Amino acid sequence: MAVLEISDLVVAWDARTGERVPVRRAEVVDRLQAAGDRGAARIVRRMPVLGEYLDPAAVDRLLVRVHTELQRLNEELHMAHRFAELLVPMLAVARASGRRLRVVDVGCGLGFTVRSLAASGVLGADVQLVGVDFNRALVTEATRLAEEERLPCTFVCADAFSLAEEAGVYLSSGVLHHFEAGRLPEFFRAQDRDGTVGFIHYDVAATRLAPLGAWLFHRARMREPLGRHDGVASARRAHGDSVLLSAASAAAGMKTFLFESFRYTNPFCAAMRPVVGIRPALATEFRRALGHRARRLAAG
């Protein structure tokens, strides 16, 4: 049976206009029950409705709370640092070759990664940081937080498959598993542009212990039932290495790798690791800039 995440089902958007579409609670419950997930169906049954439709304001508040908890998990997993260890050398290569110094975080949620990188200044003042997400409520909250924290970054609504945002480097965290394997090549092709230097996409490593680790970690760290459920579902949906590398190869203008940092892996949770893409002409310089960490690159 299909593994479903509640957060993917309780909001819907018109792909053409970007406008929100009402979601019938009964339809979400039926889909979860058909997938054999009675626990998730119970969570959705408790969500407020306006008539037969889920209350959009209540859904937005819930998703903001869940993403706030996810931000704390990202802090514990040192995600901003892990991105920086790849971004700093990649941007150094881009800077030396006169390429665009603009980083776009796809599916940014509350913008934890972008805001953390902006706060640290580790990438340099000449780097523009942008977060994009299809959920307007999350983009609004990310913008509010960045303004409150007085950070030099921006957030916009955008579709991961038809990005209007040009970038030197695209990145994401915990987004790839939300797409079916058949759609992943389209995701990577959307980032293979003339001005793009590379991409860094972190997601859950698909191991046999990942679902158990995710259950333990989310149970201990998250209060919202939706967040606990979706954290385990994420690990169960994670794509294997061969699937990711095959899909990334659809970005024909990129040389692709898997990269795993053991130093920041928490043994009690599902490990995160990225698919990395770099222009072939810049691959040697990128390896040189990575130094000893280049040994962790596994070519596809």
Side-chain angles (χ1 to χ4, degrees):
M1 292 183 181
V3 179
L4 303 175
E5 292 187 51
I6 300 170
S7 57
D8 289 340
L9 304 178
V10 296
V11 290
W13 312 90
D14 186 307
R16 183 177 57 84
T17 65
E19 295 301 315
R20 192 166 189 159
V21 178
V23 176
R24 285 187 175 86
R25 183 172 66 180
E27 291 181 358
V28 177
V29 170
D30 288 345
R31 285 193 63 184
L32 291 167
Q33 287 182 324
D37 197 339
R38 295 180 180 179
R42 285 195 295 271
I43 293 171
V44 174
R45 282 198 194 96
R46 294 195 292 266
M47 296 176 68
V49 292
L50 296 175
E52 60 184 311
Y53 297 100
L54 289 169
D55 181 349
V59 170
D60 288 347
R61 289 193 295 270
L62 173 59
L63 292 180
V64 168
R65 291 198 301 273
V66 169
H67 278 264
T68 300
E69 291 186 334
L70 283 173
Q71 175 173 297
R72 290 197 292 270
L73 294 186
N74 282 324
E75 290 171 350
E76 292 189 24
L77 293 174
H78 305 277
M79 288 309 300
H81 185 109
R82 296 173 75 175
F83 271 110
E85 70 175 338
L86 290 168
L87 271 171
V88 168
M90 189 173 286
L91 288 171
V93 171
R95 193 177 283 111
S97 61
R99 304 294 186 101
R100 171 182 284 230
L101 299 179
R102 191 169 195 253
V103 175
V104 173
D105 182 2
V106 183
C108 66
L110 297 185
F112 165 77
T113 300
V114 167
R115 287 168 35 233
S116 296
L117 292 171
S120 70
V122 67
L123 303 183
D126 56 344
V127 177
Q128 184 181 5
L129 290 163
V130 182
V132 301
D133 201 287
F134 211 46
N135 190 314
R136 294 181 186 276
L138 298 180
V139 169
T140 298
E141 180 65 7
T143 300
R144 184 191 71 79
L145 290 169
E147 291 175 349
E148 184 176 275
E149 296 159 354
R150 298 182 180 181
L151 297 174
C153 54
T154 57
F155 298 92
V156 297
C157 286
D159 183 348
F161 292 91
S162 56
L163 289 167
E165 298 297 325
E166 298 283 349
V169 180
Y170 290 99
L171 55 88
S172 71
S173 180
V175 169
L176 298 180
H177 68 266
H178 286 279
F179 308 133
E180 294 179 359
R183 296 207 70 193
L184 284 174
E186 182 184 353
F187 174 83
F188 287 105
R189 274 195 299 268
Q191 299 163 32
D192 188 6
R193 304 183 177 194
D194 290 341
T196 305
V197 173
F199 54 72
I200 305 166
H201 296 294
Y202 265 96
D203 207 1
V204 181
T207 65
R208 286 185 296 175
L209 290 178
L212 174 61
W215 183 86
L216 290 170
F217 197 58
H218 286 78
R219 193 76 184 174
R221 290 291 185 262
M222 299 194 77
R223 293 186 294 270
E224 290 291 343
L226 184 152
R228 289 178 172 180
H229 172 275
D230 282 6
V232 177
S234 296
R236 293 177 62 199
R237 295 175 70 184
H239 299 292
D241 295 350
S242 60
V243 172
L244 291 175
L245 285 171
S246 176
S249 68
M254 298 286 181
K255 186 174 178 61
T256 56
F257 306 87
L258 281 177
F259 179 86
E260 185 172 11
S261 175
F262 297 100
R263 181 178 179 185
Y264 299 103
T265 297
N266 188 322
F268 299 105
C269 70
M272 300 283 286
R273 62 178 165 190
V275 178
V276 178
I278 188 76
R279 292 292 178 199
L282 303 176
T284 299
E285 287 303 315
F286 177 57
R287 281 182 172 277
R288 186 174 293 117
L290 271 174
H292 66 89
R293 291 168 297 180
R295 289 177 295 179
R296 301 177 191 175
L297 290 172

